[in-house]
Amino acid sequence: MVVSTLRERSGLGSDGLAAVLGQLEARFGQRFSRGLEIRRQHANTTTWLPNEPADAVVYAASTDEVAEIVSLCARYGVPVIPFGTGTSLEGHVNAPFGGISLDLSQMNRIVAVHPEDLDCTVEAGVTRKQLNEYIRDQGLFFPIDPGADASLGGMAATRASGTNAVRYGTMRDNVINLTAVMADGTILKTASRAKKSSAGYDLTRLLIGSEGTLGVITEVTLRLQGIPEAIAAGICAFPTVEDACNATILTIQSGIPVARIELMDALMIRATNQFANLDMPETPHLFLEFHGSTASVAEQSEAFGAIARDFGGGDFTWATRPEDRSRLWQARHDSYFAAKGLRVGGASIATDVCVPISRLAECVAETVADIAESGLIAPIVGHVGDGNFHVQPLVDLNDAEEIERVEHFIGRLTERAIAMEGTCTGEHGVGQGKRKYLEKEHGAGVGIMRTIKAALDPLGIMNPGKILPDL
Amino acid sequence: MVVSTLRERSGLGSDGLAAVLGQLEARFGQRFSRGLEIRRQHANTTTWLPNEPADAVVYAASTDEVAEIVSLCARYGVPVIPFGTGTSLEGHVNAPFGGISLDLSQMNRIVAVHPEDLDCTVEAGVTRKQLNEYIRDQGLFFPIDPGADASLGGMAATRASGTNAVRYGTMRDNVINLTAVMADGTILKTASRAKKSSAGYDLTRLLIGSEGTLGVITEVTLRLQGIPEAIAAGICAFPTVEDACNATILTIQSGIPVARIELMDALMIRATNQFANLDMPETPHLFLEFHGSTASVAEQSEAFGAIARDFGGGDFTWATRPEDRSRLWQARHDSYFAAKGLRVGGASIATDVCVPISRLAECVAETVADIAESGLIAPIVGHVGDGNFHVQPLVDLNDAEEIERVEHFIGRLTERAIAMEGTCTGEHGVGQGKRKYLEKEHGAGVGIMRTIKAALDPLGIMNPGKILPDL
């Protein structure tokens, strides 16, 4: 059994687990659970990967408690799987080797807001919506928006980004420092609150995107933005995905500081029309948002309009009032659920790749053709200003042949992106689902990653079975 | 002797060095030198740290050659000290344990420019001015400007930033991927050319700022910017440094996307007046630059003007024509040399710290008072939009008492910055000079850095004696 393999590797007997479970139960009482339903919820994969529950779930309330739990697990060689909101998409919270699901959702305090420095410090379980509601009255917002109301610790751990990244960057760019509990229970604060530093190795960025495999992130200090004076949103139909992509490319190249520029392909528009009872023309659309002063937003909108017209873009629907903007964007935000309506009873598998923007039109067009050839139902949405797009195949999880067809499709999509100097995942992370592509993308880099992992987590207890492929 | 200590630690006799020197000489011929003058030039510290030359200098022409040299040094446990242009400020290129200075300046090819993706790939020895001249005709520029015409590989290795960082970020934010030769000779390409990725550990950021202690950076892929439609520059006098800092703080908080906002204190203005025969009022000044469309630049300038008036700012001198802008900025760019004129025969020691911007006025004011109390001649310049400032004491290097006084002053400056949640270096790096402050700033983080260093460079041959304090 794989679980005992891990425990054997750490030189500890399988009764280590029993010791950990007993001590956690005695220590955490009501904040400890072995119930199957709770364990299953904590292995939520939102994808085809099988649900692999941990042996128990424990709810931590502070960094010190996380350190206590990790130290205990380290003593007995028991895996630790950090859990935020369970909205990750590649099996990040599964427990293929058993162990303890470490739930951080009760660590939801906003520790400090420094409006004068445009930063704040929050515990890992604070969600992005909770933070944004808290700081709105101070004229501030946190721009990273992956769609789901994810925890900010989880977003750091998976290097999340989303619709606003084209303007504001990803979690990589918006975390000033973080606190993490390392595999031996050490509490690490990665950096000061200075906006920049050249003082030593970038431990902040090492932990961002490490998916709990190097340490458990318990607190993050984030860059905030002032809410712009003006925001304008708009949608624009295009004859083909190439036209929509080419308009995007030229927009970025022209230096228009667009805040969001999102693609929905014709199939996704059809799904959205059905879901929300709309009547958008069933061709590819771009959804846009501009932030700035009133004058700057008008200037940006006009500059984009000229580009769109060159690529056959239709009339715009522009909106500046918050309620009108929300209505426009609702269609984009609903796309995940709208897509599910394309196939009653079908499960939705979200996958993503990212390519240099010059290759975007080609990559999307080839993918659309591949979907058709594969006989899949798979709409496309994308944060196309970054060259990042998602394909969302709808599958019958009871049909092994179809699942295999989707797996092969994702394999081709990933190889296509890598061949175009892109990456196997722009923002979802590796988890379990993308491990097999890591060698292809990183070559010798995988060996370096293994060396770092072995040095910082010699027992292999931190979220094992994620990121690094099996040897 | 320290050199043999290192070699003993690696289990190799001191005749390892002789073997390496012999083989390098045979292999590289004219591109190998043991001349004292050349070795001294390659240990240029631009500071008070003693010059500690390597045993030889070798000029590499390709990544493969770097791999060959590092592999050879690894075989015999001989240190490797990467060298770009020798403009670092904390003894980064010194060779306290001897070894080979690996000069990358002949690796100066611009490998590829992708205007459509706003990126380029260059060899490590390409300097920022060389790159900017090459891409100017395509309407592009690379914004990071640390002052010196440094090599881009060296800028990545020290996580350089400078005057434009307030708008465009630091090297951390502007390197898409890099190629490095690791301690065992492995050639590592850290990432794809996609603008973002969540595929595994951030090896790019791990190497940026690692100062040659984990690997030798041989190639970098950089983000480029379109040259703005309009650029306006201006200078503005303030009654006190607090006023200048407070105007800066409010400018940043107001979200004005200023491209540069630089402080020169009264003493530095006096030095500049003397050096360039100018007649600026001898009070603190801010030097600014705005980038954008014509309308946006006008809007930014007006918004800043209103803030400056609130803090007693004087009349502006604005310039939009390139030659007028250059003339304005020349005073700022000349400050390093101008400062040296404050003390004939004095050596200039540049040090830097960075604090959250809310603490900037306080930190600068306390530092000015400390300079006065210490009886030092030490003008201040700063990239104050980032909370980063430099103090440049002018010292008599033959006066041990004065050097000690400066060391104590820098110690207090550093502790002051760290106590204000800042960092011991915003952009110069640790090198040899700031090692003693690393524990104070990073605590447990230093242990994590040591673990990473030991795992990736088990023989300790990569630029030893830098960043990490002695145990």
Side-chain angles (χ1 to χ4, degrees), chain A residues 116-117 199 201 213 253 358 442, chain B residues 116-117 199 201 213 253 358 442:
Chain A
E116 68 286 8
D117 291 315
Y201 303 158
T213 65
Q253 285 166 7
S358 64
H442 283 292
Chain B
E116 67 287 8
D117 292 315
Y201 304 158
T213 65
Q253 286 166 6
S358 64
H442 283 294

Side-chain angles (χ1 to χ4, degrees), chain B residues 105-187:
Chain B
S105 62
Q106 294 182 7
M107 289 184 62
N108 60 358
R109 284 170 290 253
I110 291 168
V111 179
V113 179
H114 303 105
E116 67 287 8
D117 292 315
L118 297 171
D119 74 39
C120 69
T121 300
V122 301
E123 289 185 330
V126 171
T127 70
R128 64 176 186 87
K129 287 188 183 171
Q130 181 193 344
L131 174 62
N132 275 320
E133 272 162 34
Y134 188 87
I135 60 181
R136 187 182 298 134
D137 287 351
Q138 299 178 70
L140 298 170
F141 79 113
F142 178 68
I144 315 298
D145 175 2
D149 187 22
S151 68
L152 291 157
M155 286 170 60
T158 53
R159 205 182 292 127
S161 44
T163 52
N164 279 315
V166 63
R167 165 110 178 214
Y168 298 101
T170 73
M171 287 303 279
R172 186 192 80 195
D173 311 296
N174 286 282
V175 176
I176 294 171
N177 66 53
L178 54 83
T179 302
V181 174
M182 305 303 282
D184 62 355
T186 299
I187 296 172

Side-chain angles (χ1 to χ4, degrees), chain B residues 36 39-43 50-56 93-99:
Chain B
L36 180 61
R39 293 191 291 121
R40 282 222 173 114
Q41 282 166 11
H42 281 76
N51 189 292
E52 298 171 312
D55 294 298
V93 295
N94 251 343
F97 301 91

Side-chain angles (χ1 to χ4, degrees), chain A residues 343 345-347 394-400 402-403:
Chain A
R343 182 165 182 179
L394 293 150
V395 299
D396 175 357
L397 287 182
N398 298 313
D399 183 342
E402 188 179 351
I403 290 185

Side-chain angles (χ1 to χ4, degrees), chain B residues 157-378:
Chain B
T158 53
R159 205 182 292 127
S161 44
T163 52
N164 279 315
V166 63
R167 165 110 178 214
Y168 298 101
T170 73
M171 287 303 279
R172 186 192 80 195
D173 311 296
N174 286 282
V175 176
I176 294 171
N177 66 53
L178 54 83
T179 302
V181 174
M182 305 303 282
D184 62 355
T186 299
I187 296 172
L188 167 69
K189 170 98 181 282
T190 56
S192 76
R193 208 159 58 76
K195 199 176 149 202
K196 66 182 197 184
S197 171
S198 286
Y201 304 158
D202 191 343
L203 301 179
T204 310
R205 252 51 60 180
L206 182 65
L207 281 154
I208 291 172
S210 66
E211 304 183 5
T213 65
L214 299 178
V216 182
I217 295 171
T218 60
E219 217 172 274
V220 283
T221 297
L222 302 166
R223 289 180 68 173
L224 302 175
Q225 302 285 333
I227 295 174
E229 174 193 322
I231 300 178
I235 67 173
C236 183
F238 287 85
T240 66
V241 283
E242 287 94 329
D243 289 321
C245 288
N246 285 324
T248 303
I249 291 170
L250 194 55
T251 300
I252 299 301
Q253 286 166 6
S254 306
I256 302 172
V258 61
R260 309 191 202 220
I261 183 162
E262 296 286 304
L263 171 73
M264 289 172 67
D265 78 347
L267 181 59
M268 191 59 102
I269 293 289
R270 188 193 312 162
T272 303
N273 277 342
Q274 286 171 12
F275 180 81
N277 200 19
L278 297 173
D279 59 356
M280 293 181 279
E282 290 186 1
T283 67
H285 279 62
L286 288 179
F287 286 63
L288 294 108
E289 198 166 276
F290 301 109
H291 294 178
S293 66
T294 307
S296 157
V297 160
E299 192 175 57
Q300 293 174 53
S301 307
E302 280 161 30
F304 171 76
I307 290 170
R309 276 192 298 278
D310 284 348
F311 291 98
D315 288 338
F316 301 153
T317 313
W318 291 109
T320 52
R321 290 191 314 166
E323 57 273 32
D324 296 337
R325 290 203 319 267
S326 297
R327 193 180 42 76
L328 269 185
W329 274 96
Q330 198 60 44
R332 169 65 184 88
H333 287 138
D334 285 344
S335 67
Y336 179 83
F337 300 101
K340 295 187 109 174
L342 288 171
R343 182 166 182 179
V344 177
S348 168
I349 292 169
T351 192
D352 90 308
V353 293
C354 187
V355 293
I357 198 164
S358 64
R359 310 299 297 270
L360 176 67
E362 184 185 358
C363 194
V364 172
E366 283 186 20
T367 303
V368 169
D370 189 353
I371 291 167
E373 271 172 45
S374 311
L376 296 173
I377 303 172

